[in-house]
Amino acid sequence: QVQLAESGGGSVQSGGSLRLSCAASGDSYSTYCMGWFRQVPGKEREGVASINPDGTTDYAESVRERFTISQEDAKNTLYLQMNRLKPEDTAMYYCAAGYLFTCPWTPSRYTYWGQGTQVTVSS
């Protein structure tokens, strides 16, 4: 069992930065696939970034070169550094964990979810 809690969302202007955090408790999450997803009302949840159990990362094309996913094992915390934010990045952001060897972009493959944190980017 893993419990996840996101924080760090907020409102910023276009071009600004935010860092999201996801605190994990319960089982050691280092053996899990960890991902960040986002969702806007009326649209499907989409994958943003992921980090595999071996530490390799992957990004959606829309955020590549702007977002960075990382984890700090000592704090059991997952991060998403978001730079050069755009209005189209506005969404509810969720972190997710799944006992998988590699991280898929399919939300249903993940077992554990946080409650989400809202990111709003104004133009």
Side-chain angles (χ1 to χ4, degrees):
Q1 288 280 342
V2 176
Q3 293 80 45
L4 304 173
E6 305 94 336
S7 61
S11 297
V12 296
Q13 290 191 327
S14 182
S17 298
L18 283 173
R19 188 176 80 158
L20 305 184
S21 299
C22 174
S25 59
D27 287 349
S28 172
Y29 77 97
S30 62
T31 59
Y32 284 76
C33 174
M34 303 293 296
W36 285 100
F37 289 77
R38 65 186 182 187
Q39 189 171 24
V40 298
K43 291 191 176 181
E44 293 186 355
R45 193 166 295 189
E46 64 172 0
V48 175
S50 63
I51 186 163
N52 294 305
D54 65 0
T56 56
T57 58
D58 197 10
Y59 298 90
E61 192 60 37
S62 60
V63 307
R64 198 179 300 274
E65 305 298 333
R66 299 189 297 121
F67 290 11
T68 303
I69 188 172
S70 63
Q71 61 188 30
E72 188 171 359
D73 290 344
K75 294 185 177 181
N76 265 9
T77 303
L78 181 73
Y79 301 102
L80 184 67
Q81 178 67 44
M82 306 185 295
N83 298 326
R84 304 198 308 275
L85 283 160
K86 304 176 181 180
E88 52 263 44
D89 295 318
T90 295
M92 184 72 79
Y93 283 72
Y94 300 88
C95 70
Y99 198 56
L100 305 163
F101 289 109
T102 59
C103 301
W105 290 124
T106 309
S108 61
R109 299 288 304 279
Y110 290 78
T111 305
Y112 305 105
W113 292 86
Q115 81 288 350
T117 185
Q118 178 68 38
V119 171
T120 303
V121 185
S122 58
S123 57

